Amino acid sequence: MAQALLSDIRNLSRRKARRRRGLAVLEGARLIREAMEAGARFRGVIVRADAVTEQVNLLLEALGERAIGVEQVAAQEFDSVAATDRPQGIIAVAEHPNWTYAEIANGDAPILIVDAVQDPGNAGALIRTAYCLGASGVVMLDGAVDLLNPKVLRAAMGATYRMPVICSAFDGLRSFLRERGLEVWTGSAAGRDVRRMHRTGRVAIVVGNEGAGVRAEFREMGAKNVLIPLARGAESLNVAVAAGILLYEVNLARK
């Protein structure tokens, strides 16, 4: 069993394998606990033979209470599949939720759309920020970093298991936005001050690649450009920070 899990983890280092199998590799006690508490379904867990930290031991107890199998492996074998420079001694293989637009179709909470963000740390932070600020879900458009990239999952800190995160082609997103009548706000240096915006309905916020911005198709849909005022001489914000401010302001911009 342990060797099969090790083989799975090696296989899942490839994006195509992760997407085809719908499986994710979760590394570290905190991320695994977050996923477990969110109801993730585990295929298996390996623990390094000398992983004796209190955090890992407490997690092992919790996994045992849920009848989740754990396999102990030698330090050398564990290190051969660990993705981080300082592994915490525990890795899980988990099924990833197959979220759809149905999970975010209703309600009044905003939606965050991520367009062509390639940095996995930023993508994960965007997902975590959206969850923390009450978004109903995140849509990752084609061209963004792989949602199941281990760095994305670590930066999201379990939010991908607690809130719908959808990978979508642009045509599917456009149809959803039109069917539901959502307002679309895009972050732009040439937009209107977000503090002066008033929403007339549910809002979808679009953030894009820090260099290229969002795709032109959003303008063709009649999206509203919104601006976050910055201090004199400042050029831009990190995309996850900008998304957090926009989500916060959307909640203030009542009808």
Side-chain angles (χ1 to χ4, degrees):
M1 181 64 175
Q3 292 304 315
L5 274 173
L6 288 165
S7 179
D8 271 345
I9 294 167
R10 292 189 182 96
N11 178 256
L12 293 169
S13 66
R14 297 181 295 116
R15 175 175 182 157
K16 287 184 178 179
R18 293 192 296 266
R19 299 189 73 173
R20 175 174 53 83
R21 300 177 66 187
L23 297 176
V25 176
L26 310 179
E27 186 169 333
R30 184 177 176 188
L31 176 55
I32 293 171
R33 179 176 288 278
E34 289 282 348
M36 178 186 68
E37 292 178 350
R41 297 180 62 182
F42 290 89
R43 291 290 184 92
V45 179
I46 61 169
V47 62
R48 199 174 190 264
D50 59 355
V52 292
T53 66
E54 181 179 3
Q55 188 178 28
V56 169
N57 287 335
L58 288 172
L59 177 57
L60 291 175
E61 289 180 13
L63 291 168
E65 291 170 358
R66 292 165 171 79
I68 297 170
V70 178
E71 298 288 337
Q72 190 175 91
V73 300
Q76 185 175 359
E77 287 185 306
F78 184 94
D79 292 346
S80 72
V81 297
T84 57
D85 292 333
R86 295 182 179 180
Q88 295 179 10
I90 189 164
I91 300 174
V93 175
E95 297 178 14
H96 202 76
N98 186 26
W99 302 110
T100 68
Y101 280 111
E103 278 87 14
I104 61 172
N106 301 312
D108 189 49
I111 295 167
L112 180 65
I113 300 168
V114 179
D115 186 13
V117 172
Q118 289 292 322
D119 182 87
N122 280 341
L126 282 162
I127 294 167
R128 185 181 181 187
T129 298
Y131 171 68
C132 290
L133 291 177
S136 63
V138 173
V139 178
M140 305 276 287
L141 286 175
D142 288 351
V145 65
D146 176 25
L147 172 61
L148 301 185
N149 181 302
K151 292 182 180 179
V152 174
L153 296 170
R154 287 197 297 273
M157 287 308 303
T160 50
Y161 291 90
R162 296 182 179 274
M163 173 192 67
V165 184
I166 301 164
C167 297
S168 175
F170 184 79
D171 287 346
L173 172 68
R174 177 165 47 200
S175 296
F176 172 76
L177 294 173
R178 287 176 174 171
E179 288 170 5
R180 294 288 166 174
L182 272 73
E183 292 183 46
V184 180
W185 294 7
T186 60
S188 171
R192 182 181 179 187
D193 189 332
V194 68
R195 297 171 299 179
R196 299 175 183 171
M197 297 293 292
H198 297 281
R199 61 184 176 97
T200 58
R202 195 177 182 194
V203 174
I205 295 171
V206 187
V207 293
N209 182 286
E210 292 176 348
V214 302
R215 64 187 71 192
E217 286 88 343
F218 285 109
R219 291 194 297 273
E220 295 167 6
M221 291 175 59
K224 300 176 181 178
N225 290 333
V226 295
L227 161 71
I228 299 172
L230 302 178
R232 186 184 300 274
E235 293 186 2
S236 65
L237 288 167
N238 171 274
V239 66
V241 174
I245 294 170
L246 293 173
L247 285 166
Y248 182 82
E249 289 293 339
V250 162
N251 288 325
L252 296 180
R254 301 298 182 186
K255 299 178 185 179

